[in-house]
Amino acid sequence: MKAVVLVGGEGTRLRPLTETIPKPLVPLVDRPSLDHVLDHLARHGVHEVVLSSSYLESTFRAFIEARHGDPRITWITEAEPLGTGGAIVNALGAVADGPFLALNGDILTDLDLTAMVAFHRERGAVATIALTHVEDARPFGLVPTEPDGRVIEFREKPTEPVPGDVNAGTYVLEPSVLRAFPVGVPLSIEREIFPRLIAEGLPVYGFRSDAYWLDLGTPAQYLRAHADLLAGRVAGEPAYAAPYLAEGARVHLRARLGKAVVVGPGASVGPDAEVDDSVLLAGAAVEAGARVVGSILGPRSRVGAGATVIDTVLAEGAAVREGAELRGGRVSAGAVAP
Ligand code: GTP
């Protein structure tokens, strides 16, 4: 089995962190989130993966060179962003010798991919979409199914907070039906490809599961993923210490760290500083007496002594002045706040 992993989004919701790091390469505890995705694929017998993007491509090259072992990676550059569907159609040549997996590269899940592929084959589906149940479908749009799993339709995002099954961003696809779509043209798999397959009466199925599932695309969800990983809620992932201190992290004996905290490689927390529900990426510094809660501190960013930083995202190299107070802040790469 082969897989296409979509890594070409701009990651606007995770800005300003994604000003300098593509979303799939933002670290999740100890390694880029894309490593977690690729390791999950390898655990389910996927040995060949196509990554495709047009965005910050040079950064991915370093990632691919640094990564060893399973699965083997083929890279495809999109001349222009082709969208979630166009990217998959564009990659058909590299995967299409049978059904293949396609995944959003920004999802943390322990979904049983082996069972999903078996379900796809048993149903004789042309496309199988992993579904996850949410209490509020407003950000997603609903995917109602028949009792045997056949997808009835793709519904627009509801305006009221209704519960239901939503597209979990993992698919098993038959290349034959995708060949009907034009190559090199932007297409959305959710809004154009799946609705058309359903309208043509082709067998599109939904694979429901209660697997762990989280879209890492917003700061709040990115932090939640860390809390869940450190609490051991994601199957197949390492048993991390909580709080997690990476190699070279320096935490002063008089600093206070909550459990859902990651102090990245070379990052530091000074005396009498307090950090909770936060991630400090490589080389970030929290100086003496500062308080950091619910925040993401980008690589080599700095929170000055005595500052208070809450629900904030600092991009790479950003800084917060000594004694300042920042709530819900977004500080661009290299900028100083306030
Ligand atoms: P936001 O801008 O914050 O919405 O993030 P995003 O750009 O990543 O968009 P979204 O989360 O909707 O994308 C879903 C998945 O598809 C992610 O894994 C993206 O990396 C990927 N993706 C989105 N657009 C493209 C594209 O044009 N090409 C490729 N190869 N992947 C894409």
Side-chain angles (χ1 to χ4, degrees), residues 250 263-270 273 275 279-288 290-292 297-305 307 309 314 317-320:
R250 285 167 292 129
V263 185
S268 62
V269 184
V275 181
V279 173
L280 279 56
L281 295 177
V286 176
E287 295 182 350
R291 183 162 171 257
V292 174
L297 309 189
R300 290 167 293 288
S301 63
R302 190 177 70 85
V303 174
V309 169
L314 304 186
V320 177

Side-chain angles (χ1 to χ4, degrees), residues 81-87 89 181-183 185-193:
L82 292 175
T84 50
V89 171
F181 292 87
V183 182
V185 173
L187 279 172
S188 159
I189 192 152
E190 306 90 333
R191 288 189 303 279
E192 293 171 273
I193 296 187

Side-chain angles (χ1 to χ4, degrees), residues 60-251:
F60 281 103
R61 194 160 293 142
F63 168 86
I64 293 166
E65 280 163 12
R67 196 183 150 94
H68 300 291
D70 228 10
R72 200 163 62 80
I73 296 170
T74 303
W75 175 264
I76 294 182
T77 301
E78 292 163 33
E80 57 164 327
L82 292 175
T84 50
I88 295 171
V89 171
N90 193 50
L92 280 180
V95 285
D97 46 7
F100 64 97
L101 282 155
L103 295 84
N104 288 356
D106 55 352
I107 283 169
L108 179 64
T109 182
D110 54 18
L111 179 67
D112 186 343
L113 298 172
T114 309
M116 183 175 171
V117 172
F119 173 95
H120 174 88
R121 291 187 203 272
E122 279 159 21
R123 297 292 191 282
V126 296
T128 298
I129 303 160
L131 301 178
T132 191
H133 189 84
V134 296
E135 289 309 315
D136 179 1
R138 278 177 301 177
F140 305 100
L142 290 160
V143 186
T145 51
E146 304 278 7
D148 71 344
R150 187 148 177 169
V151 174
I152 299 166
E153 61 176 336
F154 262 63
R155 264 186 218 151
E156 293 291 317
K157 296 175 180 177
T159 48
E160 297 298 314
V162 287
D165 291 332
V166 302
N167 174 2
T170 300
Y171 319 113
V172 186
L173 301 169
E174 292 295 326
S176 52
V177 288
L178 296 175
R179 292 214 179 86
F181 292 87
V183 182
V185 173
L187 279 172
S188 159
I189 192 152
E190 306 90 333
R191 288 189 303 279
E192 293 171 273
I193 296 187
F194 289 142
R196 189 166 131 192
L197 299 180
I198 294 163
E200 285 173 0
L202 292 165
V204 175
Y205 277 81
F207 180 73
R208 300 171 66 183
S209 81
D210 54 7
Y212 179 92
W213 182 85
L214 192 67
D215 167 1
L216 303 167
T218 68
Q221 282 157 209
Y222 174 74
L223 289 174
R224 189 162 146 221
H226 282 85
D228 289 342
L229 282 165
L230 297 185
R233 292 189 197 109
V234 191
E237 289 285 341
Y240 292 112
Y244 179 85
L245 308 188
E247 218 173 285
R250 285 167 292 129
V251 177

Side-chain angles (χ1 to χ4, degrees), residues 6-14 23-24 52-53 78 81-84 87 104-106 217:
L6 299 172
V7 293
E10 289 188 32
T12 48
R13 290 166 300 156
L14 209 51
K23 184 166 56 170
S52 113
S53 172
E78 292 163 33
L82 292 175
T84 50
N104 288 356
D106 55 352

